[in-house]
Amino acid sequence: MTGLLEGKRLLITGVITDSSIGFHVARKAQEEGATVVLTGYGRLSLVERIAGRLPTPAPVVELDVTDEEHLATLAERVGQHLDGLDGVLHSIGYAPPSCLGGGFLDAPWEDVATAVHTSAYSLKSLTTALMPLLAERSSVVGMDFDARQAWPVYDWMGVAKAALESTNRYLARDLGGRGVRVNLVSAGPLKTMAAKSIPGFEGLADAWTSRAPLGWDVTDPEPVARTVCAMLSDWLPSTTGSIVMADGGFHAVGV
């Protein structure tokens, strides 16, 4: 039996360490037959070392999603490694410290704008930058955290995720004619580098572990990685503009 992603060409963003969701998606995608290119930002040499830990070491392309020059040349630079793309993972989010931890009423617009630009608008920026490479029936997947309610300490990052969810729907509308699917995977809390920057993360994670109907292990990214790979595959050809929950069922239960 061939792998779920046999022959697929994928761009995976958001790899910082080997605990990153993007790293585990890249690993699982390779195991399922995909060829993978990663993007990195900042300490590129670190990302390159992490890329060497994959089953097949992957090339790394520099990308700051708020840098217009990076975006303008992205397709060309990715094209040096792949002759097209069948899938993209947007696993990018950032909010300045003022936007997290209970200071919702005090965060300045400049910081909020950074959070929305990096965490939501970038889904559109990344996708349109890669349009020259995206094959028909390709799949764009973004990482989400359920934005239907106000979470403790998540503050303006929750607003940014709500914007991400809306961006997802509009992209799905506008790219459907090209055969491009755009969806989000809303994951439960995982112990990643990004999670460490969220004050009060441990309390949120503890609630998840005790209430999710299927249970939840904050140290196990495998269920989320598998869900993303399913969304990147050809097995959901009519699914677009959707949010798929990979959270142990936590979203379905009350207090």
Side-chain angles (χ1 to χ4, degrees):
M1 180 181 294
T2 59
L4 184 69
L5 295 171
E6 191 69 33
K8 296 297 186 186
R9 303 156 297 176
L10 307 178
L11 183 70
I12 308 293
T13 71
V15 175
I16 303 173
T17 71
D18 54 9
S19 70
S20 300
I21 293 173
F23 176 84
H24 291 281
V25 171
R27 175 186 55 78
K28 178 55 65 176
Q30 286 187 342
E31 291 173 356
E32 293 296 329
T35 301
V36 169
V37 171
L38 306 182
T39 73
Y41 171 62
R43 299 175 62 186
L44 209 60
S45 60
L46 174 61
V47 180
E48 289 169 343
R49 287 200 298 273
I50 298 301
R53 299 177 187 175
L54 291 169
T56 301
V60 178
V61 173
E62 186 176 17
L63 176 63
D64 174 357
V65 288
T66 66
D67 186 314
E68 290 299 324
E69 183 176 350
H70 281 199
L71 292 166
T73 61
L74 182 61
E76 178 183 354
R77 291 182 290 121
V78 173
Q80 295 173 7
H81 305 284
L82 298 172
D83 59 359
L85 284 173
D86 302 293
V88 178
L89 175 64
H90 176 282
S91 184
I92 299 169
Y94 171 74
S98 68
C99 293
L100 298 161
F104 183 83
L105 298 179
D106 301 316
W109 165 242
E110 291 78 9
D111 288 353
V112 173
T114 296
V116 174
H117 188 180
T118 309
S119 308
Y121 183 78
S122 63
L123 178 62
K124 174 267 180 189
S125 299
L126 177 67
T127 304
T128 54
L130 293 170
M131 285 304 298
L133 293 177
L134 286 174
E136 189 175 353
R137 294 186 296 277
S138 55
S139 174
V140 177
V141 179
M143 295 308 307
D144 189 23
F145 190 74
D146 189 0
R148 296 174 299 174
Q149 52 195 318
W151 297 100
V153 308
Y154 207 48
D155 295 351
W156 285 102
M157 193 60 169
V159 175
K161 288 298 186 183
L164 177 72
E165 293 178 0
S166 185
T167 302
N168 173 64
R169 290 187 287 269
Y170 280 99
L171 274 176
R173 181 198 68 181
D174 287 358
L175 298 183
R178 299 173 181 242
V180 177
R181 292 173 286 128
V182 189
N183 295 286
L184 301 179
V185 171
S186 181
L190 293 168
K191 285 191 174 180
T192 64
M193 183 69 73
K196 292 179 180 179
S197 68
I198 303 174
F201 172 82
E202 294 296 337
L204 186 64
D206 289 345
W208 223 276
T209 301
S210 63
R211 287 177 48 200
L214 293 176
W216 188 254
D217 183 352
V218 298
T219 66
D220 182 13
E222 182 78 7
V224 174
R226 290 190 178 200
T227 303
V228 173
C229 285
M231 299 303 293
L232 289 169
S233 78
D234 293 331
W235 279 91
L236 294 96
S238 297
T239 302
T240 195
S242 297
I243 303 171
V244 176
M245 301 293 187
D247 65 351
F250 183 94
H251 70 280
V253 300
V255 177

